[in-house]
Amino acid sequence: MKYKASQKIEYETALLVRLITSLGPRFRNLEWSEYLLLNELQGKDPSSINELSYNLRLTISTTSRQVSMLETKELVQRFPHPENGKISLITTTPKGKALLQEVQTARKEAYANILYEWSKEELKVLAKQLTRLNDDLRNCKKE
């Protein structure tokens, strides 16, 4: 019985990722990876590449490439750590903060429209379970 449930969860989460990704064009041409990185910086600005890599569960080279793309778009800037010049810190520019706010607003409106028939209780349960799943995924060790 547990296998069937996990099989269903695996499929539904894969489909969820695909369906959410398909909403991307509604969100001001900000790539999914760019959105996640800017969102991660929002509460932890500035952050190092290593911190971003760890928190987003990406390799340092992948995070560095994504930061470079955001730098090109002038959404973030890189500067040396004041105590250790070998470490670069990443901070969101005013342009990046404004775009993130715009995209977050558009995403909230999209979810409000998609979930408009759900009760407050159903939304609370969904939010709680998604948070729990994400926490468990963050704490999962790669095998």
Side-chain angles (χ1 to χ4, degrees), residues 9-95:
I9 291 166
E10 184 282 323
Y11 171 76
E12 292 297 338
T13 55
L15 181 59
L16 178 67
V17 169
R18 178 65 198 112
L19 293 172
I20 289 172
T21 304
S22 73
L23 296 174
R26 295 187 191 181
F27 304 128
R28 315 294 188 265
N29 296 322
L30 190 62
E31 296 290 328
W32 183 254
S33 59
E34 296 169 334
Y35 171 75
L36 288 174
L37 203 144
L38 287 174
N39 217 3
E40 184 63 29
L41 275 170
Q42 186 176 35
K44 302 166 184 95
D45 198 347
S47 289
S48 70
I49 296 281
N50 286 356
E51 291 168 324
L52 292 169
S53 296
Y54 177 79
N55 292 337
L56 294 170
R57 302 304 188 261
L58 299 170
T59 64
I60 291 172
S61 62
T62 298
T63 305
S64 187
R65 278 193 308 277
Q66 290 178 359
V67 166
S68 293
M69 288 175 19
L70 291 171
E71 278 183 299
T72 301
K73 295 180 177 185
E74 300 178 348
L75 301 177
V76 300
Q77 61 185 28
R78 199 183 299 233
F79 62 94
H81 191 289
E83 296 167 11
N84 183 347
K86 295 178 183 178
I87 298 174
S88 291
L89 294 177
I90 313 304
T91 190
T92 312
T93 64
K95 180 179 175 181

Side-chain angles (χ1 to χ4, degrees), residues 66-138:
Q66 290 178 359
V67 166
S68 293
M69 288 175 19
L70 291 171
E71 278 183 299
T72 301
K73 295 180 177 185
E74 300 178 348
L75 301 177
V76 300
Q77 61 185 28
R78 199 183 299 233
F79 62 94
H81 191 289
E83 296 167 11
N84 183 347
K86 295 178 183 178
I87 298 174
S88 291
L89 294 177
I90 313 304
T91 190
T92 312
T93 64
K95 180 179 175 181
K97 288 177 183 176
L99 181 59
L100 178 61
Q101 182 65 46
E102 184 180 326
V103 171
Q104 286 173 329
T105 298
R107 291 177 62 83
K108 287 175 195 170
E109 289 171 2
Y111 281 110
N113 289 331
I114 292 165
L115 301 170
Y116 77 97
E117 291 183 359
W118 291 45
S119 71
K120 285 185 179 183
E121 186 59 33
E122 289 172 317
L123 293 172
K124 285 180 185 177
V125 169
L126 176 63
K128 183 177 179 178
Q129 296 303 323
L130 285 173
T131 300
R132 181 178 177 187
L133 177 60
N134 281 329
D135 288 345
D136 288 347
L137 288 168
R138 275 187 203 97

